[in-house]
Amino acid sequence: MSNPINTTLLIIGGGPGGYVAAIRAGQLGIPTVLVEGDALGGTCLNIGCIPSKALIHVAEQFHALQGYAGDSPLGIRAQSPELDLARSVAWKDGIVKKLTTGVGALLKKHKVTVVQGWARIVDGKTVDVDPVAKGKAGAPQRIRCEHLLLATGSEPVALPFMPFGGPVISSTEALSPRKLPKSLAIVGAGYIGLELGIVYRKLGVKVDVIEAQDRILPVYDADLVKPVHAALKSLGIGLHLQTQVLGLSEDGKGLRVQSGKTEDVLPAQQVLVAVGRKPRSRGFGLSSLMLDMDGLAVRVDDRCRTSMNGVWAIGDLTGEPMLAHRAMAQGECVAEQIAGHTRRFVPAAIPAVCFTDPEVVTAGLSPQQAAQAGIDAIDASFPLAANGRAMTLESTDGFVRVVARRDNHLILGWQAVGRGVSEFAAAFGQSIEMGARLEDVGHTIHAHPTQGEAIQEAALRALGQALHV
Protein backbone atom coordinates (compact mmCIF):
# COMPACT_ATOMS: atom_id res chain seq x y z
CA MET A 1 0.00 0.00 0.00
CA SER A 2 1.23 3.48 -0.88
CA ASN A 3 2.07 6.05 1.78
CA PRO A 4 -1.19 7.41 3.24
CA ILE A 5 -2.52 10.79 2.14
CA ASN A 6 -3.81 12.98 4.96
CA THR A 7 -6.42 15.64 4.21
CA THR A 8 -9.12 17.68 5.87
CA LEU A 9 -11.88 16.79 3.41
CA LEU A 10 -12.20 13.61 1.38
CA ILE A 11 -14.97 13.45 -1.21
CA ILE A 12 -16.09 10.20 -2.82
CA GLY A 13 -17.68 10.99 -6.18
CA GLY A 14 -16.85 13.60 -8.80
CA GLY A 15 -20.35 14.39 -10.04
CA PRO A 16 -22.03 17.80 -9.74
CA GLY A 17 -22.32 17.57 -5.95
CA GLY A 18 -18.82 16.25 -5.34
CA TYR A 19 -16.90 18.50 -7.69
CA VAL A 20 -18.79 21.64 -6.61
CA ALA A 21 -18.11 20.79 -2.96
CA ALA A 22 -14.43 20.33 -3.83
CA ILE A 23 -14.19 23.62 -5.73
CA ARG A 24 -15.89 25.55 -2.93
CA ALA A 25 -13.70 23.88 -0.32
CA GLY A 26 -10.64 24.82 -2.35
CA GLN A 27 -11.81 28.43 -2.52
CA LEU A 28 -12.11 28.40 1.28
CA GLY A 29 -8.60 27.01 1.73
CA ILE A 30 -9.65 23.54 2.91
CA PRO A 31 -7.19 20.77 1.94
CA THR A 32 -9.36 18.53 -0.23
CA VAL A 33 -9.02 15.19 -1.99
CA LEU A 34 -11.63 14.07 -4.56
CA VAL A 35 -11.86 10.40 -5.51
CA GLU A 36 -13.53 9.42 -8.79
CA GLY A 37 -13.38 6.03 -10.48
CA ASP A 38 -14.81 7.18 -13.80
CA ALA A 39 -14.91 10.54 -15.58
CA LEU A 40 -15.24 13.79 -13.68
CA GLY A 41 -18.72 15.28 -13.95
CA GLY A 42 -20.60 12.13 -12.98
CA THR A 43 -23.82 11.00 -14.60
CA CYS A 44 -25.01 14.55 -15.31
CA LEU A 45 -22.13 15.69 -17.50
CA ASN A 46 -21.21 12.34 -19.05
CA ILE A 47 -24.32 10.19 -19.51
CA GLY A 48 -27.25 12.28 -18.31
CA CYS A 49 -28.30 15.93 -18.30
CA ILE A 50 -25.80 17.39 -20.77
CA PRO A 51 -25.64 14.69 -23.47
CA SER A 52 -29.42 14.27 -23.41
CA LYS A 53 -29.95 17.99 -24.00
CA ALA A 54 -27.42 17.89 -26.83
CA LEU A 55 -29.31 15.08 -28.56
CA ILE A 56 -32.61 16.88 -27.90
CA HIS A 57 -31.19 19.83 -29.83
CA VAL A 58 -30.08 17.58 -32.71
CA ALA A 59 -33.53 16.00 -32.88
CA GLU A 60 -35.30 19.38 -32.76
CA GLN A 61 -33.22 20.77 -35.62
CA PHE A 62 -33.68 17.65 -37.74
CA HIS A 63 -37.42 17.58 -37.08
CA ALA A 64 -37.77 21.29 -37.90
CA LEU A 65 -35.98 20.83 -41.24
CA GLN A 66 -38.27 17.92 -42.06
CA GLY A 67 -41.18 20.30 -41.56
CA TYR A 68 -39.71 22.64 -44.17
CA ALA A 69 -39.48 19.85 -46.77
CA GLY A 70 -43.20 20.24 -47.45
CA ASP A 71 -45.59 23.17 -47.19
CA SER A 72 -44.44 25.49 -44.39
CA PRO A 73 -46.58 28.41 -43.14
CA LEU A 74 -43.33 30.35 -42.67
CA GLY A 75 -42.68 30.25 -46.40
CA ILE A 76 -39.49 28.21 -45.99
CA ARG A 77 -38.83 25.31 -48.32
CA ALA A 78 -35.95 22.89 -48.03
CA GLN A 79 -34.87 19.53 -49.39
CA SER A 80 -35.46 16.50 -47.19
CA PRO A 81 -32.68 16.51 -44.55
CA GLU A 82 -30.31 13.63 -43.88
CA LEU A 83 -28.86 12.62 -40.55
CA ASP A 84 -25.21 11.72 -40.00
CA LEU A 85 -25.69 10.01 -36.65
CA ALA A 86 -21.99 9.40 -36.01
CA ARG A 87 -21.28 13.10 -36.44
CA SER A 88 -24.21 14.03 -34.19
CA VAL A 89 -22.91 11.76 -31.43
CA ALA A 90 -19.38 13.11 -31.92
CA TRP A 91 -20.70 16.67 -31.52
CA LYS A 92 -22.48 15.63 -28.33
CA ASP A 93 -19.31 13.95 -27.06
CA GLY A 94 -17.34 17.10 -27.84
CA ILE A 95 -19.58 19.15 -25.57
CA VAL A 96 -19.20 16.57 -22.81
CA LYS A 97 -15.42 16.55 -23.15
CA LYS A 98 -15.23 20.34 -23.07
CA LEU A 99 -17.27 20.48 -19.86
CA THR A 100 -15.50 17.62 -18.07
CA THR A 101 -12.11 19.05 -19.05
CA GLY A 102 -13.27 22.36 -17.62
CA VAL A 103 -14.20 20.70 -14.34
CA GLY A 104 -10.73 19.18 -14.12
CA ALA A 105 -9.14 22.57 -14.75
CA LEU A 106 -11.25 24.23 -12.04
CA LEU A 107 -10.32 21.55 -9.51
CA LYS A 108 -6.64 22.04 -10.33
CA LYS A 109 -7.01 25.82 -10.12
CA HIS A 110 -8.37 25.50 -6.58
CA LYS A 111 -5.66 23.03 -5.54
CA VAL A 112 -7.95 20.01 -5.14
CA THR A 113 -6.12 16.70 -5.33
CA VAL A 114 -7.96 14.33 -7.68
CA VAL A 115 -7.33 10.62 -7.15
CA GLN A 116 -8.52 8.43 -10.02
CA GLY A 117 -9.80 5.13 -8.65
CA TRP A 118 -12.54 3.25 -6.84
CA ALA A 119 -13.01 4.03 -3.17
CA ARG A 120 -13.56 1.43 -0.44
CA ILE A 121 -14.54 2.78 2.95
CA VAL A 122 -12.51 1.42 5.85
CA ASP A 123 -14.07 3.63 8.52
CA GLY A 124 -15.43 7.15 8.89
CA LYS A 125 -11.93 8.62 8.66
CA THR A 126 -10.21 6.20 6.30
CA VAL A 127 -10.71 5.19 2.69
CA ASP A 128 -8.67 2.90 0.44
CA VAL A 129 -8.65 3.65 -3.28
CA ASP A 130 -8.00 1.00 -5.91
CA PRO A 131 -6.34 3.00 -8.67
CA VAL A 132 -7.41 3.03 -12.31
CA ALA A 133 -4.36 3.23 -14.55
CA LYS A 134 -4.63 2.03 -18.15
CA GLY A 135 -6.30 -1.19 -17.11
CA LYS A 136 -3.50 -2.23 -14.75
CA ALA A 137 -4.19 -2.74 -11.07
CA GLY A 138 -1.85 -0.97 -8.70
CA ALA A 139 -1.36 -0.85 -4.94
CA PRO A 140 -4.33 0.67 -3.05
CA GLN A 141 -3.93 4.25 -1.90
CA ARG A 142 -4.97 4.91 1.70
CA ILE A 143 -6.46 8.33 2.45
CA ARG A 144 -7.17 9.61 5.94
CA CYS A 145 -9.42 12.58 6.53
CA GLU A 146 -11.15 14.68 9.16
CA HIS A 147 -14.35 14.94 7.12
CA LEU A 148 -15.73 12.36 4.70
CA LEU A 149 -18.26 13.53 2.10
CA LEU A 150 -20.26 10.87 0.27
CA ALA A 151 -21.41 11.97 -3.18
CA THR A 152 -21.71 8.72 -5.11
CA GLY A 153 -24.86 9.62 -7.05
CA SER A 154 -27.37 7.18 -8.48
CA GLU A 155 -27.78 4.49 -11.13
CA PRO A 156 -30.61 3.27 -13.38
CA VAL A 157 -33.13 0.84 -11.91
CA ALA A 158 -33.19 -2.46 -13.80
CA LEU A 159 -36.16 -4.79 -14.11
CA PRO A 160 -35.27 -8.11 -12.43
CA PHE A 161 -37.01 -10.13 -15.14
CA MET A 162 -35.43 -8.10 -17.96
CA PRO A 163 -31.87 -7.06 -16.98
CA PHE A 164 -29.78 -4.68 -19.05
CA GLY A 165 -27.95 -6.28 -21.93
CA GLY A 166 -28.49 -7.05 -25.62
CA PRO A 167 -31.64 -5.31 -26.85
CA VAL A 168 -32.47 -4.08 -23.32
CA ILE A 169 -30.72 -0.77 -22.72
CA SER A 170 -30.56 2.02 -20.15
CA SER A 171 -30.36 5.74 -20.81
CA THR A 172 -26.56 5.39 -20.97
CA GLU A 173 -26.69 3.33 -24.17
CA ALA A 174 -29.59 5.36 -25.56
CA LEU A 175 -27.46 8.52 -25.42
CA SER A 176 -24.62 7.04 -27.51
CA PRO A 177 -26.28 5.08 -30.31
CA ARG A 178 -24.10 3.62 -33.05
CA LYS A 179 -27.17 3.32 -35.23
CA LEU A 180 -30.85 3.99 -34.75
CA PRO A 181 -33.21 1.06 -34.27
CA LYS A 182 -36.28 0.83 -36.47
CA SER A 183 -38.45 0.51 -33.37
CA LEU A 184 -37.95 1.37 -29.71
CA ALA A 185 -40.13 0.41 -26.76
CA ILE A 186 -39.71 2.55 -23.67
CA VAL A 187 -40.67 1.18 -20.27
CA GLY A 188 -41.67 4.14 -18.10
CA ALA A 189 -43.33 7.44 -18.96
CA GLY A 190 -41.32 9.61 -16.59
CA TYR A 191 -39.10 12.45 -17.74
CA ILE A 192 -36.15 10.27 -18.81
CA GLY A 193 -38.25 7.95 -20.94
CA LEU A 194 -40.24 10.74 -22.57
CA GLU A 195 -37.24 12.99 -23.27
CA LEU A 196 -35.44 10.17 -25.04
CA GLY A 197 -38.60 8.89 -26.68
CA ILE A 198 -39.20 12.27 -28.29
CA VAL A 199 -35.58 12.40 -29.48
CA TYR A 200 -35.77 8.99 -31.12
CA ARG A 201 -39.17 9.68 -32.67
CA LYS A 202 -38.02 12.99 -34.16
CA LEU A 203 -35.07 11.14 -35.66
CA GLY A 204 -37.44 8.75 -37.41
CA VAL A 205 -37.69 5.79 -35.03
CA LYS A 206 -41.03 4.12 -34.29
CA VAL A 207 -41.53 4.64 -30.55
CA ASP A 208 -43.93 3.05 -28.07
CA VAL A 209 -44.10 4.10 -24.42
CA ILE A 210 -45.43 1.69 -21.80
CA GLU A 211 -46.57 3.04 -18.42
CA ALA A 212 -48.22 1.14 -15.56
CA GLN A 213 -50.06 4.21 -14.29
CA ASP A 214 -52.99 5.91 -16.01
CA ARG A 215 -51.07 8.88 -17.42
CA ILE A 216 -47.64 10.08 -18.46
CA LEU A 217 -45.38 12.10 -16.13
CA PRO A 218 -47.31 10.92 -13.06
CA VAL A 219 -45.37 13.18 -10.68
CA TYR A 220 -46.82 16.27 -12.37
CA ASP A 221 -50.43 17.44 -12.13
CA ALA A 222 -52.83 16.64 -14.94
CA ASP A 223 -53.09 20.17 -16.38
CA LEU A 224 -49.34 20.39 -16.93
CA VAL A 225 -49.26 17.01 -18.63
CA LYS A 226 -52.06 17.63 -21.17
CA PRO A 227 -49.98 19.62 -23.72
CA VAL A 228 -47.17 17.03 -23.52
CA HIS A 229 -49.63 14.18 -24.04
CA ALA A 230 -51.09 15.95 -27.09
CA ALA A 231 -47.60 16.55 -28.51
CA LEU A 232 -46.65 12.88 -28.12
CA LYS A 233 -49.78 11.88 -30.00
CA SER A 234 -49.03 14.43 -32.71
CA LEU A 235 -45.54 12.99 -33.14
CA GLY A 236 -47.00 9.52 -33.56
CA ILE A 237 -45.60 8.05 -30.36
CA GLY A 238 -47.62 5.06 -29.20
CA LEU A 239 -48.82 5.46 -25.60
CA HIS A 240 -49.78 2.33 -23.69
CA LEU A 241 -51.06 3.46 -20.28
CA GLN A 242 -52.19 1.21 -17.44
CA THR A 243 -50.12 -1.46 -19.13
CA GLN A 244 -47.78 -3.98 -17.51
CA VAL A 245 -44.52 -5.19 -19.05
CA LEU A 246 -44.11 -8.97 -18.98
CA GLY A 247 -40.72 -9.32 -20.67
CA LEU A 248 -39.16 -9.88 -24.07
CA SER A 249 -40.93 -12.04 -26.62
CA GLU A 250 -39.50 -15.50 -27.26
CA ASP A 251 -37.75 -14.39 -30.44
CA GLY A 252 -36.33 -11.31 -28.70
CA LYS A 253 -37.80 -9.00 -31.33
CA GLY A 254 -40.66 -7.61 -29.30
CA LEU A 255 -41.91 -6.69 -25.85
CA ARG A 256 -44.70 -8.61 -24.17
CA VAL A 257 -47.22 -6.34 -22.48
CA GLN A 258 -50.56 -6.76 -20.75
CA SER A 259 -53.43 -4.29 -20.49
CA GLY A 260 -56.28 -5.59 -18.37
CA LYS A 261 -56.64 -9.22 -19.42
CA THR A 262 -55.28 -8.64 -22.92
CA GLU A 263 -51.71 -9.67 -23.68
CA ASP A 264 -49.91 -8.34 -26.74
CA VAL A 265 -46.44 -8.09 -28.28
CA LEU A 266 -45.07 -4.69 -29.35
CA PRO A 267 -42.41 -4.88 -32.09
CA ALA A 268 -39.15 -3.51 -30.68
CA GLN A 269 -35.58 -3.80 -31.90
CA GLN A 270 -34.53 -2.18 -28.63
CA VAL A 271 -36.17 -1.75 -25.24
CA LEU A 272 -35.22 1.26 -23.13
CA VAL A 273 -35.91 0.68 -19.44
CA ALA A 274 -36.48 4.06 -17.80
CA VAL A 275 -38.38 3.23 -14.62
CA GLY A 276 -36.27 5.44 -12.39
CA ARG A 277 -32.95 5.71 -10.63
CA LYS A 278 -31.74 4.51 -7.24
CA PRO A 279 -29.04 5.80 -4.88
CA ARG A 280 -25.62 4.24 -5.50
CA SER A 281 -25.09 3.07 -1.94
CA ARG A 282 -23.59 -0.36 -2.54
CA GLY A 283 -20.21 -1.62 -3.65
CA PHE A 284 -17.89 0.74 -1.78
CA GLY A 285 -18.20 -0.33 1.85
CA LEU A 286 -20.87 2.13 2.95
CA SER A 287 -22.61 -0.51 5.08
CA SER A 288 -19.56 -0.72 7.34
CA LEU A 289 -20.40 2.75 8.69
CA MET A 290 -23.87 1.59 9.81
CA LEU A 291 -25.41 4.96 8.98
CA ASP A 292 -29.10 5.68 9.38
CA MET A 293 -30.74 4.92 6.04
CA ASP A 294 -34.03 5.48 4.23
CA GLY A 295 -34.05 2.36 2.11
CA LEU A 296 -31.06 2.68 -0.21
CA ALA A 297 -30.71 6.41 0.54
CA VAL A 298 -28.48 7.82 3.26
CA ARG A 299 -30.46 9.83 5.79
CA VAL A 300 -29.18 13.36 6.41
CA ASP A 301 -30.33 16.34 8.44
CA ASP A 302 -30.80 19.94 7.28
CA ARG A 303 -27.02 20.42 7.28
CA CYS A 304 -26.34 17.30 5.15
CA ARG A 305 -24.87 15.48 8.16
CA THR A 306 -25.27 11.73 8.44
CA SER A 307 -25.73 9.89 11.73
CA MET A 308 -21.93 9.59 12.09
CA ASN A 309 -19.98 12.63 13.20
CA GLY A 310 -17.71 13.94 10.47
CA VAL A 311 -19.47 12.02 7.69
CA TRP A 312 -21.61 13.99 5.27
CA ALA A 313 -23.76 12.99 2.29
CA ILE A 314 -25.23 14.93 -0.62
CA GLY A 315 -27.04 14.51 -3.92
CA ASP A 316 -28.79 11.46 -5.29
CA LEU A 317 -27.27 9.28 -2.58
CA THR A 318 -29.61 11.03 -0.13
CA GLY A 319 -32.75 10.32 -2.18
CA GLU A 320 -35.29 12.52 -3.91
CA PRO A 321 -35.34 14.93 -5.54
CA MET A 322 -32.47 13.54 -7.63
CA LEU A 323 -31.43 16.78 -9.31
CA ALA A 324 -27.93 17.95 -10.16
CA HIS A 325 -28.59 21.50 -8.96
CA ARG A 326 -29.76 20.19 -5.60
CA ALA A 327 -26.50 18.26 -5.24
CA MET A 328 -24.49 21.34 -6.18
CA ALA A 329 -26.20 23.47 -3.56
CA GLN A 330 -25.69 20.78 -0.93
CA GLY A 331 -22.01 20.54 -1.86
CA GLU A 332 -21.51 24.25 -1.28
CA CYS A 333 -23.40 23.98 2.00
CA VAL A 334 -21.10 21.22 3.32
CA ALA A 335 -17.88 22.92 2.24
CA GLU A 336 -18.84 26.16 3.96
CA GLN A 337 -19.72 24.38 7.19
CA ILE A 338 -16.36 22.61 7.25
CA ALA A 339 -14.79 26.06 6.83
CA GLY A 340 -16.62 27.18 9.97
CA HIS A 341 -19.55 28.99 8.39
CA THR A 342 -23.09 28.62 9.68
CA ARG A 343 -25.11 27.01 6.92
CA ARG A 344 -28.25 24.91 6.59
CA PHE A 345 -29.79 23.32 3.52
CA VAL A 346 -33.38 24.49 3.73
CA PRO A 347 -34.31 25.77 0.26
CA ALA A 348 -37.68 27.43 -0.16
CA ALA A 349 -38.02 25.68 -3.52
CA ILE A 350 -35.97 23.49 -5.85
CA PRO A 351 -37.00 23.99 -9.49
CA ALA A 352 -37.44 20.88 -11.61
CA VAL A 353 -37.49 20.76 -15.40
CA CYS A 354 -38.71 18.11 -17.81
CA PHE A 355 -37.13 18.70 -21.24
CA THR A 356 -39.92 17.19 -23.27
CA ASP A 357 -41.48 19.08 -26.17
CA PRO A 358 -43.17 21.13 -24.82
CA GLU A 359 -41.04 21.56 -21.70
CA VAL A 360 -42.39 21.44 -18.16
CA VAL A 361 -40.95 23.43 -15.24
CA THR A 362 -42.10 23.58 -11.62
CA ALA A 363 -40.95 25.25 -8.42
CA GLY A 364 -42.64 25.19 -5.04
CA LEU A 365 -46.21 24.07 -4.44
CA SER A 366 -48.87 23.21 -6.98
CA PRO A 367 -52.51 24.11 -6.20
CA GLN A 368 -53.14 20.51 -5.13
CA GLN A 369 -50.09 20.44 -2.85
CA ALA A 370 -51.09 23.72 -1.23
CA ALA A 371 -54.57 22.33 -0.55
CA GLN A 372 -53.12 19.13 0.90
CA ALA A 373 -50.95 21.24 3.21
CA GLY A 374 -54.08 23.01 4.48
CA ILE A 375 -53.11 26.36 2.97
CA ASP A 376 -55.84 28.68 1.72
CA ALA A 377 -54.31 29.52 -1.65
CA ILE A 378 -55.26 31.15 -4.93
CA ASP A 379 -53.87 30.25 -8.33
CA ALA A 380 -54.07 31.72 -11.78
CA SER A 381 -52.82 30.73 -15.22
CA PHE A 382 -51.86 32.78 -18.26
CA PRO A 383 -52.01 31.00 -21.64
CA LEU A 384 -49.03 31.28 -23.97
CA ALA A 385 -51.61 31.55 -26.78
CA ALA A 386 -52.09 35.16 -25.59
CA ASN A 387 -48.35 35.93 -25.59
CA GLY A 388 -47.03 37.71 -28.68
CA ARG A 389 -43.52 36.31 -28.49
CA ALA A 390 -44.84 32.76 -28.16
CA MET A 391 -46.88 33.31 -31.33
CA THR A 392 -43.79 34.38 -33.27
CA LEU A 393 -42.00 31.25 -32.07
CA GLU A 394 -44.90 28.95 -33.06
CA SER A 395 -45.07 27.84 -29.42
CA THR A 396 -48.50 28.80 -28.15
CA ASP A 397 -49.37 25.46 -26.54
CA GLY A 398 -48.98 25.85 -22.79
CA PHE A 399 -49.35 28.24 -19.90
CA VAL A 400 -47.74 29.76 -16.82
CA ARG A 401 -49.41 29.28 -13.44
CA VAL A 402 -48.75 30.89 -10.08
CA VAL A 403 -49.87 29.73 -6.62
CA ALA A 404 -50.02 32.15 -3.69
CA ARG A 405 -51.50 32.51 -0.21
CA ARG A 406 -54.90 34.13 -0.30
CA ASP A 407 -54.35 36.29 2.80
CA ASN A 408 -51.03 38.01 2.05
CA HIS A 409 -50.34 36.98 -1.58
CA LEU A 410 -47.00 35.32 -0.71
CA ILE A 411 -46.00 33.24 -3.72
CA LEU A 412 -45.84 29.53 -2.92
CA GLY A 413 -45.24 27.98 -6.32
CA TRP A 414 -44.95 28.28 -10.06
CA GLN A 415 -45.63 25.85 -12.89
CA ALA A 416 -45.30 26.23 -16.65
CA VAL A 417 -45.55 24.11 -19.76
CA GLY A 418 -44.47 25.28 -23.20
CA ARG A 419 -41.56 25.52 -25.57
CA GLY A 420 -38.50 27.06 -23.91
CA VAL A 421 -40.11 27.51 -20.49
CA SER A 422 -37.17 25.75 -18.81
CA GLU A 423 -35.54 29.19 -18.76
CA PHE A 424 -38.29 30.36 -16.40
CA ALA A 425 -36.80 28.17 -13.65
CA ALA A 426 -34.46 30.89 -12.39
CA ALA A 427 -37.23 33.48 -12.05
CA PHE A 428 -39.52 30.95 -10.39
CA GLY A 429 -36.96 29.84 -7.83
CA GLN A 430 -35.72 33.34 -7.12
CA SER A 431 -39.17 34.79 -6.47
CA ILE A 432 -40.01 32.04 -3.97
CA GLU A 433 -36.61 32.14 -2.26
CA MET A 434 -36.84 35.92 -1.83
CA GLY A 435 -40.36 35.78 -0.42
CA ALA A 436 -41.96 37.69 -3.28
CA ARG A 437 -45.66 38.46 -3.32
CA LEU A 438 -47.96 38.65 -6.30
CA GLU A 439 -47.68 42.44 -6.32
CA ASP A 440 -43.86 42.24 -6.50
CA VAL A 441 -43.95 40.19 -9.69
CA GLY A 442 -47.04 41.77 -11.19
CA HIS A 443 -45.67 45.31 -10.79
CA THR A 444 -42.18 44.48 -12.05
CA ILE A 445 -41.73 45.70 -15.62
CA HIS A 446 -41.10 42.74 -17.91
CA ALA A 447 -39.51 43.29 -21.33
CA HIS A 448 -41.82 43.13 -24.35
CA PRO A 449 -42.06 41.03 -26.42
CA THR A 450 -40.82 38.06 -24.39
CA GLN A 451 -42.37 34.83 -23.20
CA GLY A 452 -41.42 35.95 -19.69
CA GLU A 453 -44.29 38.42 -19.79
CA ALA A 454 -46.50 35.41 -19.10
CA ILE A 455 -44.98 35.29 -15.60
CA GLN A 456 -46.07 38.86 -14.91
CA GLU A 457 -49.48 38.26 -16.46
CA ALA A 458 -50.09 35.17 -14.32
CA ALA A 459 -49.38 37.20 -11.18
CA LEU A 460 -51.64 40.02 -12.38
CA ARG A 461 -54.41 37.55 -13.18
CA ALA A 462 -54.20 36.15 -9.65
CA LEU A 463 -54.72 39.73 -8.45
CA GLY A 464 -57.69 40.18 -10.78
CA GLN A 465 -55.70 42.64 -12.90
CA ALA A 466 -54.83 40.63 -16.05
CA LEU A 467 -54.24 42.89 -19.05
CA HIS A 468 -54.05 40.55 -22.00
CA VAL A 469 -56.55 37.80 -21.32
Side-chain angles (χ1 to χ4, degrees):
M1 184 171 289
S2 305
N3 292 330
I5 297 174
N6 295 300
T7 186
T8 300
L9 173 61
L10 170 60
I11 302 170
I12 301 178
Y19 82 70
V20 166
I23 290 172
R24 184 65 182 127
Q27 291 174 343
L28 294 166
I30 301 168
T32 302
V33 174
L34 174 66
V35 178
E36 173 55 58
D38 209 333
L40 290 171
T43 294
C44 180
L45 266 64
N46 292 281
I47 54 173
C49 316
I50 298 302
S52 65
K53 304 313 164 283
L55 288 189
I56 286 171
H57 181 64
V58 170
E60 286 177 345
Q61 298 303 303
F62 183 70
H63 184 65
L65 281 173
Q66 285 182 314
Y68 298 144
D71 182 26
S72 165
L74 301 185
I76 299 173
R77 292 177 184 170
Q79 298 296 320
S80 297
E82 296 180 0
L83 179 70
D84 184 341
L85 182 63
R87 189 164 184 177
S88 298
V89 172
W91 174 76
K92 177 265 295 182
D93 290 342
I95 294 174
V96 170
K97 184 176 180 180
K98 184 178 293 185
L99 288 171
T100 54
T101 300
V103 169
L106 287 169
L107 292 167
K108 184 177 181 180
K109 173 184 176 182
H110 294 292
K111 298 180 173 57
V112 175
T113 300
V114 177
V115 176
Q116 196 75 25
W118 299 103
R120 291 182 289 111
I121 295 173
V122 178
D123 57 42
K125 303 290 184 184
T126 313
V127 169
D128 287 342
V129 180
D130 296 321
V132 178
K134 297 181 181 179
K136 297 181 180 179
Q141 173 67 64
R142 174 153 289 185
I143 305 175
R144 296 194 179 101
C145 61
E146 296 176 30
H147 297 271
L148 175 62
L149 174 55
L150 307 173
T152 54
S154 61
E155 57 193 357
V157 173
L159 296 174
F161 57 88
M162 202 167 61
F164 295 123
V168 182
I169 63 174
S170 70
S171 57
T172 301
E173 293 78 29
L175 288 170
S176 295
R178 294 182 179 179
K179 64 178 182 179
L180 294 173
K182 291 183 179 179
S183 53
L184 175 68
I186 300 176
V187 183
Y191 75 95
I192 295 175
L194 293 189
E195 286 181 8
L196 290 173
I198 290 172
V199 166
Y200 273 69
R201 181 64 194 130
K202 286 183 175 180
L203 295 179
V205 177
K206 180 182 182 299
V207 175
D208 286 283
V209 177
I210 302 92
E211 170 59 49
Q213 298 193 49
D214 61 357
R215 62 183 178 88
I216 62 171
L217 298 175
V219 299
Y220 294 98
D221 70 66
D223 289 337
L224 283 173
V225 169
K226 286 178 183 177
V228 181
H229 188 280
L232 295 176
K233 286 289 189 180
S234 178
L235 284 170
I237 293 176
L239 295 177
H240 307 270
L241 305 178
Q242 293 181 296
T243 301
Q244 301 293 327
V245 172
L246 303 178
L248 293 176
S249 59
E250 290 185 8
D251 61 7
K253 297 180 180 179
L255 184 67
R256 295 170 47 235
V257 298
Q258 182 174 339
S259 178
K261 296 182 179 180
T262 304
E263 186 175 329
D264 199 1
V265 176
L266 297 174
Q269 278 194 332
Q270 284 187 326
V271 178
L272 168 61
V273 175
V275 294
R277 298 183 66 85
K278 62 182 179 180
R280 186 179 283 116
S281 55
R282 295 173 177 171
F284 57 97
L286 177 64
S287 59
S288 66
L289 299 182
M290 300 183 69
L291 302 178
D292 290 347
M293 306 287 288
D294 289 320
L296 291 176
V298 175
R299 185 181 301 171
V300 293
D301 64 9
D302 62 4
R303 292 172 56 185
C304 302
R305 299 177 299 186
T306 71
S307 56
M308 178 178 285
N309 188 39
V311 178
W312 314 72
I314 60 174
D316 291 4
L317 180 62
T318 63
E320 297 289 353
M322 293 187 182
L323 299 168
H325 42 284
R326 168 179 176 257
M328 292 177 177
Q330 288 178 316
E332 289 185 82
C333 178
V334 170
E336 293 183 5
Q337 289 178 80
I338 292 172
H341 300 185
T342 300
R343 282 293 307 273
R344 294 170 64 222
F345 184 73
V346 191
I350 303 177
V353 180
C354 179
F355 288 89
T356 45
D357 182 10
E359 296 173 347
V360 179
V361 57
T362 65
L365 301 180
S366 68
Q368 296 85 353
Q369 290 169 332
Q372 290 169 2
I375 300 172
D376 184 14
I378 54 175
D379 65 89
S381 300
F382 185 82
L384 291 178
N387 177 269
R389 180 57 175 155
M391 292 180 189
T392 67
L393 294 172
E394 299 180 286
S395 60
T396 55
D397 292 335
F399 60 87
V400 176
R401 182 174 64 200
V402 66
V403 183
R405 291 182 62 95
R406 187 180 301 276
D407 55 2
N408 59 10
H409 297 170
L410 180 71
I411 294 174
L412 303 173
W414 292 95
Q415 299 85 41
V417 56
R419 186 174 300 173
V421 297
S422 57
E423 297 302 326
F424 292 174
F428 288 178
Q430 189 176 55
S431 67
I432 297 173
E433 198 68 47
M434 296 184 71
R437 302 176 189 274
L438 292 171
E439 289 83 356
D440 297 320
V441 175
H443 298 158
T444 294
I445 297 174
H446 287 61
H448 174 77
T450 63
Q451 289 198 103
E453 289 177 272
I455 298 173
Q456 179 187 22
E457 289 279 6
L460 287 174
R461 194 172 194 186
L463 292 168
Q465 303 170 16
L467 299 173
H468 292 94
V469 69

